[in-house]
Amino acid sequence: MRVGGGPGETEGMNVNFAERAHNHNWKLDPIVRSLLDTDFYKLLMLQFIWKNFPGIHVTSEVTNRTTAVRLADHISAGALIEQMEHVKDLRFRKSELIWLAGNTFYGTRSIFEPAFLVWLEDGFRLSDYEVTERDGQLVLRFSGLWTEVTMWEIYGLALVSEMKTRAALATLSELELDVLYARAKTKLWDKIERLRGVSGLSISEFGTRRRHSFLWQEYVVEAMRGALGRSLAGTSNTFLAYKHDLEAMGTNAHELPMALAALSNTDEELRASQYRVLELWQKSYGGELLILLPDTFGTTQFLENAPDWAADWTGQRCDSKDPFIAGDEYIAWLLKRGRDARRKRLIASDGLDVDDILRLHDYFNGRIRFSAGWGTLVTNDFRGCHPRGEHDFDPISLVCKLMTVEGRPAVKLSDNAHKSTGVPSEVERYRRIFGTKAVEGPAVVV
Amino acid sequence: MRVGGGPGETEGMNVNFAERAHNHNWKLDPIVRSLLDTDFYKLLMLQFIWKNFPGIHVTSEVTNRTTAVRLADHISAGALIEQMEHVKDLRFRKSELIWLAGNTFYGTRSIFEPAFLVWLEDGFRLSDYEVTERDGQLVLRFSGLWTEVTMWEIYGLALVSEMKTRAALATLSELELDVLYARAKTKLWDKIERLRGVSGLSISEFGTRRRHSFLWQEYVVEAMRGALGRSLAGTSNTFLAYKHDLEAMGTNAHELPMALAALSNTDEELRASQYRVLELWQKSYGGELLILLPDTFGTTQFLENAPDWAADWTGQRCDSKDPFIAGDEYIAWLLKRGRDARRKRLIASDGLDVDDILRLHDYFNGRIRFSAGWGTLVTNDFRGCHPRGEHDFDPISLVCKLMTVEGRPAVKLSDNAHKSTGVPSEVERYRRIFGTKAVEGPAVVV
């Protein structure tokens, strides 16, 4: 905003007629405008899938776990489809591919193979999809080759999240919009201020999927970069990393062990599949990209039965287990396996906010290299900001789940029973095989 | 701000080259851009002076009572002079004069005489001035005909206030600026929200003289209008009233009784001068413009000795006395004089903030028509908003004092000894004549 100046100023000769006309003529205000506008781990996993599982077919679904918010009442399926068609028409731009080829990720050049980049340019496409309404909710279902389906995850989540935002924004006057954003900025800055100057702190922005909007996420990242300096390790958003010369962060997700588990033919193969993922992953990636994600079928069984070389991996991301407990468990496991925990990394990424980040940093500081993945509660925490005290901008728990792999049901047990997914009979079978109990974790906020 | 949208957007063809070049070429970013950018009471008083005292010479000074803030360290006298020269070159625009002639003020048409409006167009000018540095402060001294000097008050105060703001803004990064304004807006909205829906509330914006900046004042007024509706009675800023179709508020100030007192030749004349002002005023103005300002030489003596017709005036503005006490005193006085206080108006205007406004409204509701004049603490309350916790944006107590009239010293006693002005020997003489004790009021914040 201009802060100086005074009365009597007019646009005068300087009306930009073309811009005004253009702004009035927009048919669509696209939410996702680049295929890089996704979490970096999706690109790493895409290359992994392209290389190892190019012919596998899967289905996945975006749904809303916050059932109290009836999305279909706020978002028109038609408008959502227009946004999805726009994404489907996007191609990787030459400059983006050159950046993927030439940039250093986690200190390593040429993480992406030339053949993969050629395929990204010429062969990549997004799968078909269906949008349906169910119990007041919108369900996005994707089906096709795994390489075509996987990338929908973040685009789909970000589209729904921002369309919910836009629906709520449309109910506000210009003044109310201003109040909303002033309050959100004040809230954001109060959070950032608490993190400023904390020695050795390492935070990555992980909030693409449930962001308030793209522009707000960009604002958040710029704010963090300006105020936190080196404490901001990077962003999971590849486009923002590209645009703002930040580190692109992230490694892999549950969909890999889930898919390999679904493809297993025997109980023995199923138990082994969670380590088979690691074997394949370390053929393509090294260093900081070797981050265990042990909670897909239960962290404790994963660590107990893991081959010794898994302890050579660089670190662990704990997602569904209380990170204090998960971190202690990992450190104890490393000790038992004769490794130096202080050289390992621990990443927490589940619904963190400032208090959690500060407490975890204090707790693990000096024992393991702790990093916080700060997601929804930095890119979409508008709680208490609505000018009329409504809750329209409160974040909701949108998720994208792998449903089937080659027609077989996919399952995630996780360390928190609230987060397990899959048909009940299959969940039961998996629990039996992995020996994992249903642990009642805390209720899911985001 | 644009809140939708996504990556990949560029200005492309739509760069406004002329606007960019123009913005880079500004020699001066004027603070005061219209002679209407002043408190409405200055125009009423200007007509009064033009009519009754066209040949009187006066001097006045703008100074900073907050001596801890060394203004000369922040504001260059040269830059201030550039701004003042810009104001001196301003003329009333035809459209502004037509508005003054044709608009209804306090429900009355033609408050300004045609001859006065002709003189505003052809004869009005601002006096000469000096800017000097004294003990780290900048002092603005004006001398000339009273009609030339009086209008400097608000221009001078607003210039210094906004130049202090600009100096502080220049120390902030773009991100820090954003934090500052987000916090200030949040603070403002939290205040406004507390006033929303309070039945019968009447508030005027009175904060031109010590505003953060013109644009911020405009934002504040628009915010109040949007949220408070009819509870916003108007603004004292004539330009904002003109631009936004609001009521222009205000009546008269201490400079009138001070000048008439200074012109008195005997003790008797001096005592009578405070009522002589009223006699002259009611020749020009009526209705809601008949607002007593009784504290120039002490409220209690003013009321006790006032002629009975003074109780026919519409109301009272209490400025330097605790408004609870001053209001009660006024109501008791009206009762004693046989008038119905419920038909009278009480205006409080001294350093009010939300708490004061709500408490005063509650206290006087049903007993007298209470109005709050909300000034510095709505147009310049940036306390606690600085992104690095500094106090550069905290408001300071800038004042403009009438110093001499026809070479004789001018005096204000006021109800708060901290606010008395004038050379000590004269203050002493006035105290003797008016029988006013030096009352230690609260320390002055703004």
Side-chain angles (χ1 to χ4, degrees), chain B residues 313-330:
Chain B
W313 275 39
T314 304
Q316 177 190 304
R317 176 160 74 94
C318 51
D319 194 47
S320 57
K321 198 171 204 163
D322 178 326
F324 292 95
I325 298 168
D328 280 344
E329 184 178 22
Y330 179 50

Side-chain angles (χ1 to χ4, degrees), chain A residues 2-7 14 16 18 33 166 169 178-179 181-183 185-186 189 193 213-215 219 222 239 387, chain B residues 2-7 14 16 18 33 166 175 178-179 181-183 185-186 189 193 213-215 219 239 387:
Chain A
R2 287 197 56 242
V3 289
N14 277 320
N16 193 322
R33 299 182 181 208
R166 289 185 180 185
L169 291 175
D178 202 57
V179 182
Y181 283 106
R183 286 183 175 162
K185 285 180 177 180
T186 298
W189 281 103
E193 199 146 82
S213 68
F214 170 80
L215 286 181
Y219 177 85
E222 285 287 87
F239 183 84
Chain B
R2 287 197 56 245
V3 290
N14 277 320
N16 192 325
R33 299 181 181 209
R166 289 186 181 184
L175 270 176
D178 202 57
V179 182
Y181 283 106
R183 286 182 175 163
K185 286 180 176 181
T186 297
W189 281 103
E193 200 146 82
S213 67
F214 170 80
L215 286 181
Y219 177 85
F239 183 84

Side-chain angles (χ1 to χ4, degrees), chain A residues 210-383:
Chain A
R210 293 178 200 139
R211 66 193 181 196
H212 173 82
S213 68
F214 170 80
L215 286 181
W216 182 253
Q217 183 185 17
E218 187 170 35
Y219 177 85
V220 165
V221 169
E222 285 287 87
M224 288 172 77
R225 189 233 282 271
L228 300 180
R230 287 169 50 110
S231 286
L232 178 68
T235 170
S236 65
N237 187 292
T238 318
F239 183 84
L240 292 176
Y242 164 66
K243 182 171 174 189
H244 297 290
D245 282 338
L246 288 160
E247 293 295 325
M249 308 299 289
T251 53
N252 54 62
H254 300 104
E255 85 181 273
L256 300 185
M258 286 170 76
L260 269 71
L263 291 171
S264 303
N265 293 312
T266 67
D267 291 2
E268 196 46 49
E269 250 184 81
L270 179 51
R271 260 192 300 270
S273 66
Q274 57 188 339
Y275 310 116
R276 174 76 182 138
V277 174
L278 309 185
E279 280 177 12
L280 290 173
W281 187 265
Q282 66 190 0
K283 281 186 186 168
S284 294
Y285 305 116
E288 288 280 340
L289 293 181
L290 300 182
I291 301 294
L292 304 168
L293 178 67
D295 69 331
T296 314
F297 308 115
T299 295
T300 303
Q301 64 79 28
F302 178 96
L303 292 175
E304 273 173 9
N305 304 317
D308 193 63
W309 53 259
D312 291 330
W313 274 39
T314 302
Q316 177 193 303
R317 176 160 74 95
C318 49
D319 194 45
S320 56
K321 197 172 205 163
D322 177 327
F324 291 95
I325 297 168
D328 280 344
E329 184 179 23
Y330 179 50
I331 291 169
W333 177 76
L334 287 166
L335 220 69
K336 211 173 93 185
R337 303 277 181 133
R339 306 316 200 274
D340 183 357
R342 288 167 305 176
R343 303 184 59 190
K344 301 291 185 180
R345 182 166 295 287
L346 178 71
I347 300 163
S349 62
D350 184 28
L352 299 185
D353 206 348
V354 177
D355 280 330
D356 313 299
I357 293 172
L358 288 172
R359 284 170 51 228
L360 286 164
H361 173 73
D362 275 356
Y363 188 74
F364 289 114
N365 197 16
R367 300 168 60 208
I368 193 164
R369 295 183 301 134
F370 175 74
S371 280
W374 199 8
T376 312
L377 296 181
V378 69
T379 61
N380 199 10
D381 190 3
F382 280 58
R383 292 172 299 177

Side-chain angles (χ1 to χ4, degrees), chain A residues 128-167:
Chain A
D128 292 332
Y129 61 86
E130 284 178 345
V131 175
T132 50
E133 285 189 39
R134 191 167 69 198
D135 304 330
Q137 296 299 333
L138 289 173
V139 177
L140 287 60
R141 182 172 296 122
F142 309 100
S143 60
L145 285 172
W146 193 6
T147 54
E148 301 170 354
V149 169
T150 187
M151 292 295 281
W152 270 122
E153 178 185 15
I154 308 300
Y155 306 139
L157 292 167
L159 287 183
V160 174
S161 195
E162 185 159 345
M163 290 190 75
K164 171 178 166 290
T165 295
R166 289 185 180 185

Side-chain angles (χ1 to χ4, degrees), chain B residues 168-438:
Chain B
L169 292 175
T171 68
L172 300 186
S173 69
E174 191 178 352
L175 270 176
E176 288 173 332
L177 288 170
D178 202 57
V179 182
L180 177 78
Y181 283 106
R183 286 182 175 163
K185 286 180 176 181
T186 297
K187 192 171 186 186
L188 171 68
W189 281 103
D190 289 348
K191 289 187 183 193
I192 290 176
E193 200 146 82
R194 293 183 54 204
L195 299 171
R196 207 179 209 163
V198 176
S199 167
L201 196 63
S202 170
I203 299 179
S204 297
E205 183 277 303
F206 271 19
T208 300
R209 68 191 58 210
R210 292 178 200 139
R211 66 193 181 195
H212 174 83
S213 67
F214 170 80
L215 286 181
W216 181 253
Q217 184 185 15
E218 187 170 35
Y219 177 85
V220 165
V221 169
E222 286 287 89
M224 288 172 76
R225 188 231 284 270
L228 299 180
R230 287 167 51 107
S231 287
L232 178 68
T235 169
S236 66
N237 187 292
T238 320
F239 183 84
L240 292 176
Y242 164 66
K243 182 171 174 189
H244 296 291
D245 283 338
L246 288 161
E247 295 294 326
M249 308 299 289
T251 53
N252 54 61
H254 300 104
E255 88 181 273
L256 300 186
M258 287 170 74
L260 269 70
L263 291 170
S264 304
N265 292 311
T266 66
D267 291 2
E268 198 45 51
E269 251 185 79
L270 178 51
R271 258 191 301 269
S273 66
Q274 56 188 340
Y275 311 115
R276 175 74 183 139
V277 174
L278 310 185
E279 281 176 11
L280 291 172
W281 188 264
Q282 65 190 3
K283 282 186 186 166
S284 295
Y285 305 116
E288 288 280 341
L289 293 180
L290 299 184
I291 301 293
L292 304 168
L293 179 67
D295 70 330
T296 314
F297 307 115
T299 295
T300 303
Q301 64 79 29
F302 178 96
L303 292 176
E304 273 173 8
N305 304 315
D308 193 63
W309 52 259
D312 291 330
W313 275 39
T314 304
Q316 177 190 304
R317 176 160 74 94
C318 51
D319 194 47
S320 57
K321 198 171 204 163
D322 178 326
F324 292 95
I325 298 168
D328 280 344
E329 184 178 22
Y330 179 50
I331 291 170
W333 178 76
L334 287 166
L335 220 68
K336 212 171 94 187
R337 304 275 182 136
R339 306 320 199 271
D340 184 356
R342 287 168 304 177
R343 302 183 59 190
K344 301 290 186 180
R345 182 167 296 289
L346 177 71
I347 301 162
S349 62
D350 185 28
L352 298 185
D353 207 347
V354 176
D355 282 329
D356 313 300
I357 293 172
L358 289 172
R359 283 172 50 230
L360 286 164
H361 173 73
D362 275 355
Y363 188 74
F364 289 114
N365 197 15
R367 300 170 60 209
I368 193 165
R369 296 184 300 135
F370 175 74
S371 279
W374 199 7
T376 312
L377 295 180
V378 68
T379 61
N380 198 9
D381 189 4
F382 280 59
R383 292 172 300 176
C385 297
H386 192 291
R388 295 192 303 270
E390 305 289 336
H391 296 276
D392 304 4
F393 296 98
D394 290 8
I396 57 173
S397 188
L398 292 171
V399 288
C400 181
K401 303 184 291 187
L402 191 63
M403 302 298 285
T404 65
V405 183
E406 292 289 302
R408 303 179 193 189
V411 167
K412 181 170 80 167
L413 296 179
S414 111
D415 288 319
N416 177 350
H418 290 297
K419 288 187 150 192
S420 68
T421 68
V423 290
S425 61
E426 279 295 290
V427 169
E428 208 39 61
R429 185 170 78 90
Y430 273 58
R431 282 205 207 290
R432 212 178 55 239
I433 291 167
F434 288 101
T436 313
K437 292 190 199 110

